[in-house]
Amino acid sequence: YDLDVRVRPEAQILAGTMRMRAAVVDTLHSVLLDLDHRLDVDSAWVENNSLPVDTITRPSDGDQLRVPLPEPRLAGDTVSVQIAYHGAPRVAPNPPWDGGVTWSTTSEGAPWIGTSVQTAGASLWWPVKNHPSDEPDSMDIAITVPDSLVAASNGTLRSVERASDSTQTYRWHVSTSINSYAVTLNVAPYVRVDTTYASTAGTQVPVTFFALPRDTA
């Protein structure tokens, strides 16, 4: 999976694009993804071909997407699906046990946002195959936030790109397999604190904390 999401704290809205590349193990006529009914699909592609949004069907509960393939894929093929979406995601009623997105503020009044979806699944905030057995072998995660904020996620931070619209995009890369429910979004006016941890083998392991300014000490 590659996930590119823009966070709008003032409106409590997410807007993003998910790209999935998968190996086909049996004849495939459509791709079934999970996405919470609170989030709307704006557009979709299979490979580089745009699909009419009305061809993407949602079951009666509205929490899945069935994306038709223009032609069947056979075992050994690959398939690439892209979904653009937006909406106000479920607010976590009792994080982390009853999850979703938490829209909070620091004591200074700055946005402080996080996800907790270990029980309900990642589809509360992005399109995904919502099953513990589905572990992508790698992932790119791009999070765009107002430039007064910092976005922390999984893996290694590769770049921070500032834009002319007073936002900046944090680009993270996960190089190992990961459970989709463990993919996380954390946004606040964080301060980065770097240190190292000495392992029992004597290896110096880099460790990075993202702390609120009052907690850096």
Side-chain angles (χ1 to χ4, degrees):
Y1 297 111
D2 293 341
L3 179 63
D4 190 333
V5 61
R6 179 178 291 261
V7 183
R8 292 178 52 196
E10 78 289 349
Q12 298 189 359
I13 285 175
L14 302 178
T17 302
M18 184 282 297
R19 302 172 188 85
M20 182 191 77
R21 293 181 297 276
V24 178
V25 297
D26 202 350
T27 303
L28 194 66
H29 296 274
S30 61
V31 172
L32 188 65
L33 296 168
D34 297 284
L35 182 66
D36 189 78
H37 63 274
R38 299 168 183 83
L39 301 171
D40 295 322
V41 174
D42 298 317
S43 56
W45 296 263
V46 173
E47 313 306 342
N48 294 318
N49 300 313
S50 177
L51 295 179
V53 173
D54 60 6
T55 65
I56 300 169
T57 57
R58 302 187 87 150
S60 57
D61 64 5
D63 289 334
Q64 288 184 320
L65 308 174
R66 186 172 295 279
V67 182
L69 300 179
E71 56 186 31
R73 298 294 193 277
L74 306 179
D77 290 344
T78 59
V79 63
S80 175
V81 173
Q82 180 171 309
I83 301 289
Y85 71 102
H86 80 282
R90 180 191 187 199
V91 175
N94 185 28
W97 297 275
D98 195 358
V101 178
T102 297
W103 305 89
S104 187
T105 56
T106 67
S107 58
E108 294 78 21
W112 189 7
I113 303 159
T115 54
S116 51
V117 295
Q118 290 88 339
T119 51
S123 61
L124 286 181
W125 67 282
W126 60 285
V128 64
K129 294 188 77 63
N130 206 20
H131 195 278
S133 67
D134 188 62
E135 293 190 12
D137 58 12
S138 61
M139 195 163 173
D140 285 306
I141 304 166
I143 304 170
T144 300
V145 295
D147 59 13
S148 59
L149 302 175
V150 173
S153 190
N154 306 81
T156 302
L157 180 61
R158 286 191 160 174
S159 67
V160 180
E161 301 169 3
R162 186 178 294 271
S164 59
D165 61 354
S166 299
T167 64
Q168 50 193 6
T169 301
Y170 288 76
R171 297 191 180 278
W172 295 83
H173 177 70
V174 180
S175 61
T176 57
S177 60
I178 183 172
N179 284 110
S180 62
Y181 62 79
V183 175
T184 186
L185 179 152
N186 298 279
V187 176
Y190 290 123
V191 175
R192 176 172 173 159
V193 181
D194 291 294
T195 185
T196 56
Y197 166 76
S199 74
T200 55
T203 304
Q204 295 294 315
V205 180
V207 178
T208 299
F209 297 92
F210 287 86
L212 295 180
R214 66 170 184 263
D215 297 328
T216 54

